[in-house]
């Protein structure tokens, strides 16, 4: 039996003014459960734990979602698996807090984030080394904010594809920007402090401008 999606890390200050939802990466295909040994989930946890203290000072909580399964798993007539999970997460955040949300997504998590950006609680998306295939839809970003960052040595996803996506999304988004992270790869390991800073400033800017 596949586990339900769950929040594995919840760091929310007293009387928060907003919530950051962290969505970790995954794979194009994969029906295995996301367990505690998942490197994608662990990267999301490290990111969330680094962001939490600074966000707390600003009155912003952070929660990390763990998907049911590892893959995007696109199927005709059905939402991809992580999109279903992120919809659940946003409904749950609304039920518990009813506050503005910024989504920080890495890789597949960024693709998931832009798919659910039309949720009424979402103010914007911070996309780190995102997976944006050619012709990926962007309509859900209408009147929302997208801040994307990508390194030139990423051999898993494409920085050029991200730049093209940002340009396309800018036709409907309130704001869409791209940060060149320089000669770094996909996994947020090299220049991790800079990745954290980009994510933090993206969240803060989206909420300040909301």
């Amino acid at each position: 039996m596949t586990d339900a999606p769950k929040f594995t890390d919840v760091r929310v200050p007293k009387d928060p003014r907003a919530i950051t939802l962290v969505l970790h990466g995954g794979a194009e295909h994969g029906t295995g459960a996301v367990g505690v040994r998942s490197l994608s989930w662990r990267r999301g946890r490290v990111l969330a734990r680094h962001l939490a203290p600074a966000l707390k000072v600003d009155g912003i909580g952070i929660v990390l979602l763990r998907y049911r399964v590892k893959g995007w798993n696109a199927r005709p007539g059905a939402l991809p698996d992580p999109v279903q999970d992120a919809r659940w997460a946003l409904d749950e955040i609304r039920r518990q807090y009813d506050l503005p949300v910024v989504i920080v997504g890495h890789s597949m998590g960024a693709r998931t984030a832009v798919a659910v950006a039309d949720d009424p609680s979402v103010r914007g998306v911070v996309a780190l080394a995102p997976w944006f295939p050619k012709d990926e839809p962007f309509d859900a970003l209408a009147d929302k904010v997208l801040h994307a960052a990508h390194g030139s040595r990423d051999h898993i996803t494409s920085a050029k594809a991200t730049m093209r996506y940002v340009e396309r999304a800018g036709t409907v988004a309130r704001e869409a920007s791209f940060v060149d992270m320089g000669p770094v790869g996909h996994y947020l390991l090299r220049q991790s402090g800079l990745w954290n800073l980009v994510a933090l400033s993206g969240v803060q800017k989206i909420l300040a401008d909301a």
Side-chain angles (χ1 to χ4, degrees):
M1 180 182 296
T2 302
D3 288 340
K6 64 176 68 174
F7 296 131
T8 59
D9 292 76
V10 177
R11 297 164 184 262
V12 179
K14 184 179 180 181
D15 299 323
R17 68 181 184 92
I19 301 294
T20 299
L21 171 63
V22 177
L23 300 180
H24 63 81
E28 185 171 2
H29 306 287
T31 56
V34 179
V36 296
R37 294 184 178 181
S38 164
L39 294 179
S40 296
W41 170 75
R42 287 186 177 187
R43 279 187 286 271
R45 170 172 265 191
V46 169
L47 176 65
R49 289 182 172 182
H50 276 98
L51 295 179
L55 291 176
K56 181 179 179 180
V57 171
D58 207 17
I60 304 168
I62 191 164
V63 297
L64 170 65
L65 176 67
R66 190 167 78 193
Y67 312 128
R68 292 167 295 141
V69 296
K70 298 176 181 179
W72 178 258
N73 302 328
R75 299 176 298 274
L79 292 174
D81 285 316
V83 174
Q84 295 179 42
D85 295 348
R87 292 287 188 196
W88 169 86
L90 289 166
D91 287 344
E92 191 66 13
I93 290 171
R94 186 161 35 249
R95 184 185 68 80
Q96 294 186 35
Y97 304 105
D98 196 21
L99 292 169
V101 176
V102 176
I103 307 176
V104 176
H106 172 236
S107 191
M108 185 182 78
R111 186 181 186 186
T112 303
V114 299
V116 301
D118 57 352
D119 184 278
S121 296
V122 174
R123 299 296 183 266
V125 171
V126 180
L128 307 177
W131 172 32
F132 290 151
K134 184 180 178 180
D135 299 326
E136 185 70 10
F138 56 86
D139 292 349
L141 286 162
D143 203 33
K144 306 296 173 82
V145 177
L146 171 65
H147 293 311
H150 218 131
S152 59
R153 290 188 179 175
D154 190 331
H155 301 299
I156 306 300
T157 58
S158 167
K160 289 183 179 179
T162 296
M163 286 188 280
R164 288 193 293 268
Y165 184 86
V166 169
E167 184 177 359
R168 293 168 59 227
T171 62
V172 300
R174 184 157 54 86
E175 181 181 353
S177 69
F178 176 84
V179 174
D180 183 351
M181 297 295 292
V184 298
H186 184 70
Y187 295 113
L188 312 184
L189 297 174
R190 188 176 178 187
Q191 296 287 351
S192 60
L194 182 57
W195 284 110
N196 295 337
L197 181 61
V198 167
L200 176 63
S201 63
V203 171
Q204 292 173 327
K205 189 173 188 302
I206 289 170
L207 291 173
D209 294 342

